[in-house]
Amino acid sequence: MNGNKGEWSELYTLLKLAADGKLYAADGNTNKIENIYYDILQIIRKQKDDNWKYIRNGKIKIVSEKTGEIVDEISISEFKTNAELLLEAIQNVKTKKGSFEVKNVESFITKIKCVTTKAKSTDKADIFLIVHDAKVGSDPKLGFSIKSQLGSPSTLVNASNATNFIYKLSGHKLTDKEKEVFHSFKYFKDKFAYLDKLQAKVSFEKVSSKIFNANLMLIDTQMPAILAVIVENFYRGRASTISELMNLCIDKNVCNVSEDNKQIFYDYKIKEFMTNCALGMMPGHLWSGKYDATGGYIIVKEDGDVLCYHIYNRNEFREYLYKNTKLDTPSTGKHGFGTIEEVDGNQYLKLNLQIRFIK
């Protein structure tokens, strides 16, 4: 069984939560909140052939969701031991990328009916938990997206052709020779410096994908314009983290918000956008506003601690997203951006949005 650090982290999360029986909440700086936790009654993992339930009741009962059959009962201590072995193996692999095997836990993983390191998922939820909610006295089934700090930083918004933003060039029409010079620069900040030298003005035209544009408009009609400012400032080399880029966006004030309110306005809009991306919205699929990850996020920390941002601690979750994300430059060739194109006598430049966690 092979997987990268992020994929093995999903299995580690299953073992760790089954062993501990509790999922603690985190604050905006990913520190454990000792007095907020959720008692875990069941863990549900989607597999290709079946969904398997891991029921805590003195031991861990493994139950087929399809047939209701109890296929095994395993001690909690076995889950704990193998969670520790798996964590140690993940931490000892020096490279952050690439697949590897973990031989000393493979027989246990097979025993608990896991056939792949990554669970089957068609939405934002990687794992489902049935927890005891003491606040309302119920036992809801909640979907969580898992993000691991053990491997390469994961993405919040994946790059695709759908995440291209189109900008119109005006004031100076580049000649073929000038376009060659523009395309010869390796870094985007140098490309933009060249456009400034030519006095070619860059102005946002539209989001390339009608679907992604519709999703953004559902959040706020000004969301495409706000993101366009953030994307342009990133490629100009002015900043990379969301918090830094938002300061530049506030200065630009593309929505013409009053000076007294603009900090609150723009901070709220970007946090709302990122929350929706984290819990349900995908750029290439028309979004109804419904969350898939109904529980929230599970974070696997570098020390192996497993914490969550639940819908209940929404403010901490939004603060975490705001403080721990940045824009990144994906492959220009793969996603079709970064070159000047001519359409009906006008020149346009596409820039791509990709948001990645800092760690």
Side-chain angles (χ1 to χ4, degrees):
M1 189 182 293
N2 286 279
N4 59 35
K5 285 192 171 187
E7 290 164 345
W8 279 114
S9 294
E10 285 195 24
L11 270 179
Y12 169 72
T13 300
L14 167 62
L15 303 185
K16 172 74 170 168
L17 294 180
D20 291 352
K22 285 182 171 60
L23 178 58
Y24 282 87
D27 63 19
N29 295 309
T30 61
N31 297 313
K32 181 190 287 185
I33 304 175
E34 295 286 353
N35 63 336
I36 300 179
Y37 60 86
Y38 309 96
D39 288 310
I40 298 169
L41 306 178
Q42 291 184 33
I43 302 170
I44 302 166
R45 192 171 195 260
K46 292 184 177 181
Q47 299 281 277
K48 290 179 181 178
D49 59 336
D50 200 346
N51 296 338
W52 294 98
K53 298 179 180 180
Y54 302 85
I55 302 172
R56 292 187 99 256
N57 186 15
K59 290 186 175 182
I60 307 293
K61 291 182 180 179
I62 303 176
V63 180
S64 163
E65 192 172 76
K66 187 185 293 184
T67 66
E69 178 189 1
I70 300 173
V71 296
D72 210 338
E73 287 190 51
I74 301 172
S75 69
I76 289 172
S77 62
E78 267 196 84
F79 275 83
K80 184 176 186 297
T81 298
N82 282 277
E84 290 169 353
L85 289 171
L86 181 52
L87 174 63
E88 184 180 9
I90 297 170
Q91 291 173 330
N92 285 341
V93 173
K94 300 304 179 186
T95 57
K96 289 192 173 182
K97 294 182 179 180
S99 295
F100 56 93
E101 295 179 323
V102 184
K103 290 288 189 183
N104 57 349
V105 300
E106 192 164 319
S107 61
F108 181 76
I109 295 300
T110 304
K111 181 180 177 181
I112 64 169
K113 302 300 180 183
C114 292
V115 295
T116 58
T117 52
K118 184 170 180 61
K120 182 183 178 183
S121 177
T122 56
D123 50 37
K124 294 282 185 175
D126 298 310
I127 197 169
F128 292 86
L129 306 178
I130 294 179
V131 301
H132 177 64
D133 187 341
K135 289 188 177 182
V136 296
S138 65
D139 301 333
K141 178 182 175 181
L142 304 172
F144 287 88
S145 176
I146 299 172
K147 299 296 179 184
S148 175
Q149 296 179 352
L150 293 170
S152 297
S154 52
T155 54
L156 176 67
V157 178
N158 290 320
S160 67
N161 288 340
T163 60
N164 280 326
F165 285 66
I166 301 174
Y167 300 78
K168 185 177 182 180
L169 304 184
S170 60
H172 174 82
K173 188 170 185 177
L174 276 71
T175 65
D176 289 342
K177 179 64 176 176
E178 287 168 339
K179 283 193 284 185
E180 284 181 24
V181 174
F182 174 87
H183 294 141
S184 70
F185 290 111
K186 181 179 179 181
Y187 299 107
F188 273 93
K189 65 178 182 179
D190 297 325
K191 294 178 187 285
F192 273 98
Y194 184 63
L195 292 178
D196 292 340
K197 181 180 176 181
L198 295 175
Q199 296 185 323
K201 183 182 177 184
V202 180
S203 55
F204 173 59
E205 184 79 1
K206 63 179 181 178
V207 178
S208 181
S209 164
K210 291 181 179 179
I211 290 175
F212 189 34
N213 186 70
N215 291 345
L216 296 177
M217 295 279 283
L218 185 61
I219 299 170
D220 190 282
T221 56
Q222 293 296 318
M223 203 68 240
I226 293 170
L227 286 176
V229 173
I230 292 170
V231 169
E232 183 182 338
N233 277 317
F234 167 69
Y235 283 98
R236 283 186 175 275
R238 291 171 177 165
S240 61
T241 67
I242 286 292
S243 55
E244 291 170 335
L245 287 165
M246 282 311 300
N247 288 332
L248 296 172
C249 185
I250 290 164
D251 290 341
K252 175 84 171 179
N253 195 11
V254 68
C255 300
N256 296 317
V257 181
S258 69
E259 289 295 317
D260 294 339
N261 191 46
K262 64 181 185 179
Q263 176 84 46
I264 295 171
F265 178 87
Y266 289 105
D267 278 358
Y268 175 82
K269 295 301 179 186
I270 196 65
K271 287 176 182 177
E272 188 70 8
F273 165 71
M274 291 194 295
T275 301
N276 291 332
C277 289
L279 301 180
M281 187 182 76
M282 290 185 279
H285 301 276
L286 195 62
W287 186 55
S288 66
K290 180 182 176 182
Y291 288 162
D292 297 315
T294 51
Y297 257 34
I298 287 175
I299 309 296
V300 182
K301 297 185 68 175
E302 289 177 309
D303 63 1
D305 214 354
V306 175
L307 305 175
C308 82
Y309 291 99
H310 192 284
I311 298 300
Y312 289 151
N313 54 325
R314 181 181 174 87
N315 291 336
E316 288 84 356
F317 180 45
R318 290 160 73 89
E319 197 64 22
Y320 161 74
L321 294 174
Y322 189 82
K323 289 179 177 178
N324 291 279
T325 48
K326 65 176 183 177
L327 264 65
D328 199 9
T329 306
S331 166
T332 54
K334 185 177 179 181
H335 303 297
F337 74 99
T339 58
I340 294 174
E341 302 173 359
E342 287 211 27
V343 180
D344 297 330
N346 295 312
Q347 293 182 331
Y348 298 92
L349 174 65
K350 288 181 184 177
L351 301 174
N352 193 275
L353 172 67
Q354 178 173 264
I355 302 179
R356 187 178 294 279
F357 286 92
I358 295 169
K359 61 179 181 177

